[in-house]
Amino acid sequence: MPAQPEPQLSAQLSTTARKFLEENTMRSIFGIPEEALDAVMATAYHLYQAGRYPEVEVLCLGLVAADHKYWWSYSLYAATLRKLGRLREAVELVDKGLAYEPDEPKLLLMRSELREEIAREANAADKADDNNNDSHAAA
Amino acid sequence: MGMLDSIGNLGGLGQITKMLDAGNWVKQAVNSVLPKNMAVVGDAAGALFDLKTGNVFGAAQLAMDGLKDLPQATKSQQQQTKEASAGAAQGQPMPTNPALEPSPPPSAAKPLDFGKLSELFNQILEMLGKKPAAPSTGMPGALLAHSDEIVKGMREKAAERAASTTTTTTTTFTSASGLERTNPRTNDGVSQRRGTDAGERSSWVGTPTTPAPASTPTRTPATTTPSSPASSPAPAASTPASTPAASSAPAAPFNGAPAAGETISSLAQFNSMSDSAVRDAVIHGRISPEIAKDQTAMMAIQQRMNAISEMNNLMTNMMRALHDMQMAVVQNIRI
């Protein structure tokens, strides 16, 4: 039977522990130096520019885990997910980042653009469905 | 194989220490994740880990590696910019939307900051030397300024290692003239800088110029004539104890500042000798027969010489890396 560590772990965490983890980043708890995160961010950005999105996703997961309050990790992660075609996940991620930094202009811009893109895709899909239906009806 | 021959053969020792170095494992782990041109990140991570765990040797080694990898990282930045433009030209699954493109990381918006990285390595070396650097000093100057402290720390470690090691050595010193033929290293900054305090060109020809310890007073010649030893050896040998110099120059306690041309006559004295004095004594064969017969003492001397050689290599590598870095900057400016 496969183990399910995440639900067990979340069940084990008390409200106080969750609150503590929400308020404190792993970076501050483990004393990760800023230089180390800067280096990882630079690497992730270079990988993004080189088009190596799966690797960027892994690094972004690490960056968000290390400092879940920092907007830049969310922006890069969302851009990567968009490149991978996962627009809805990207919007969710941007929303999560905006929860910590609500006035961040880049995240706000990304959210509006992503929503527009999702809407455009939905419209295009609707139109395609309509065309299919028309062609079937004509047939 | 002589002791001096073994100094140049540190490759095997380096491999073993690397295998045992936890920081090196950290470096490899980080490097396995990151691209090759970002090896400097792994070096820095390994150096920091070694520093935290108290392995100053490993930290220094990895810091040197990091300095070596710095030019590669800068070169790769230019290449990656070209690759990025090439990647865009090849076409991507999603259309490019400038609003959705991530901005460069805020702290790394500018290209690799040599100053900060150099500062980081400088800080590591400062911590190794336990001596704060003057803010106005340049990188090479600061490094050289800390070399004394680093060497001191390495000497202590080497003495500890010599005490605990079980390796057997077959080093023998047959004659001083054979050792004199060995060309001392002159291309390292440390030895050049320290060449003045130990009598690099002393005129010693086989007779110790300093008085021996109190336990062997009769073996020490009373007067020394280093300027003309071959022309008048007989008077000094014939009147060893009758001259007033013999009574006025007893075996004085060692005061921590060894004079030039000192002979290694006891382990305690050897431990308090400066690196230059030890090197000078070994090069010129000024080792008393008691010490030469004592295997433990010879191992301690060998460890000390290894440490000196290792430090010289480290400093040379560091200066070479700094030079390469400066040259890379100059080349970038020219491009």
Side-chain angles (χ1 to χ4, degrees):
Chain A
M1 184 177 163
Q4 292 179 340
E6 282 186 7
Q8 281 177 7
L9 188 65
S10 60
Q12 282 172 4
L13 285 175
S14 66
T15 316
T16 318
R18 270 186 216 144
K19 195 180 170 191
F20 176 79
L21 288 175
E22 191 62 30
E23 286 173 357
N24 296 283
T25 61
M26 288 294 149
R27 182 170 74 89
S28 59
I29 292 170
F30 290 116
I32 301 170
E34 266 185 44
E35 290 82 8
L37 285 186
D38 286 348
V40 177
M41 283 195 287
T43 309
Y45 184 68
H46 286 309
L47 287 172
Y48 178 86
Q49 286 184 319
R52 293 167 64 176
Y53 303 120
E55 287 95 333
V56 182
E57 192 182 357
V58 172
L59 287 182
C60 284
L61 278 170
L63 285 170
V64 170
D67 189 349
H68 61 273
K69 292 183 177 179
Y70 192 41
W71 68 271
W72 190 85
S73 313
Y74 292 103
S75 77
L76 181 67
Y77 199 176
T80 307
L81 289 177
R82 176 183 167 270
K83 291 284 187 188
L84 293 170
R86 291 149 63 182
L87 293 178
R88 293 185 191 282
E89 283 179 62
V91 173
E92 283 173 19
L93 207 68
V94 171
D95 283 337
K96 205 174 164 185
L98 281 168
Y100 296 108
E101 296 193 46
D103 299 327
E104 173 51 44
K106 179 72 183 177
L107 288 184
L108 288 170
L109 185 63
M110 282 185 86
R111 184 169 67 178
S112 62
E113 291 286 329
L114 281 169
R115 280 178 179 171
E116 278 179 22
E117 210 165 305
I118 290 171
R120 274 200 301 272
E121 278 194 359
N123 284 339
D126 285 344
K127 278 182 186 175
D129 284 343
D130 287 343
N131 287 339
N132 282 338
N133 290 337
D134 289 344
S135 61
H136 283 301
Chain B
M1 191 175 73
M3 188 176 77
L4 289 173
D5 294 334
S6 70
I7 290 166
N9 187 18
L10 285 170
L13 182 65
Q15 289 298 324
I16 294 166
T17 49
K18 272 192 177 180
M19 289 277 289
L20 299 172
D21 183 9
N24 198 43
W25 289 104
V26 170
K27 171 190 163 183
Q28 285 178 2
V30 173
N31 283 348
S32 65
V33 177
L34 300 179
K36 275 183 184 175
N37 50 32
M38 298 298 288
V40 64
V41 180
D43 293 328
L48 282 171
F49 183 84
D50 267 345
L51 205 61
K52 293 269 183 193
T53 52
N55 182 5
V56 289
F57 288 104
Q61 195 96 42
L62 290 171
M64 306 304 156
D65 290 348
L67 281 175
K68 273 190 208 167
D69 290 332
L70 264 179
Q72 194 185 3
T74 48
K75 280 178 193 168
S76 71
Q77 277 200 328
Q78 291 179 342
Q79 285 172 358
Q80 282 183 352
T81 314
K82 285 177 190 170
E83 280 172 14
S85 55
Q90 284 167 4
Q92 290 167 339
M94 293 296 286
T96 340
N97 185 346
L100 289 169
E101 287 301 308
S103 56
S107 54
K110 52 182 180 288
L112 201 60
D113 190 345
F114 279 116
K116 279 196 175 180
L117 272 167
S118 298
E119 256 177 49
L120 183 66
F121 286 117
N122 204 5
Q123 279 171 6
I124 291 172
L125 288 163
E126 274 173 34
M127 289 169 79
L128 284 172
K130 294 174 184 172
K131 185 181 173 186
S136 59
T137 53
M139 179 70 177
L143 289 176
L144 288 174
H146 295 311
S147 62
D148 283 345
E149 298 295 323
I150 296 167
V151 168
K152 202 176 283 179
M154 289 184 79
R155 191 193 313 155
E156 286 164 9
K157 293 262 181 187
E160 283 171 19
R161 265 194 252 161
S164 62
T165 186
T166 54
T167 316
T168 57
T169 53
T170 56
T171 310
T172 52
F173 289 91
T174 53
S175 68
S177 58
L179 287 167
E180 279 171 353
R181 280 196 292 273
T182 309
N183 188 23
R185 290 181 304 281
T186 54
N187 59 345
D188 52 318
V190 178
S191 62
Q192 281 177 359
R193 210 163 58 82
R194 292 178 170 191
T196 53
D197 65 344
E200 189 81 25
R201 295 189 187 88
S202 72
S203 55
W204 188 82
V205 289
T207 308
T209 55
T210 52
S215 59
T216 58
T218 54
R219 292 184 184 181
T220 310
T223 57
T224 57
T225 55
S227 58
S228 59
S231 60
S232 60
S238 60
T239 58
S242 60
T243 55
S247 56
S248 64
F254 185 67
N255 59 4
E262 192 171 358
T263 305
I264 301 173
S265 52
S266 70
L267 258 182
Q269 181 215 10
F270 165 71
N271 286 334
S272 56
M273 281 168 76
S274 73
D275 285 338
S276 302
V278 168
R279 205 170 57 113
D280 192 55
V282 170
I283 286 170
H284 293 97
R286 283 197 297 270
I287 300 171
S288 71
E290 289 82 9
I291 289 286
K293 284 174 192 167
D294 186 359
Q295 191 183 359
T296 313
M298 290 308 293
M299 279 160 57
I301 292 173
Q302 183 149 13
Q303 285 289 346
R304 179 81 173 270
M305 291 300 290
N306 284 347
I308 293 168
S309 167
E310 201 174 343
M311 176 50 67
N312 285 346
N313 287 339
L314 290 177
M315 300 307 288
T316 311
N317 287 340
M318 186 176 286
M319 285 190 291
R320 192 180 301 138
L322 282 169
H323 173 72
D324 289 347
M325 232 160 66
Q326 287 163 354
M327 290 307 293
V329 170
V330 170
Q331 281 169 2
N332 286 342
I333 291 168
R334 286 172 65 187
I335 289 165

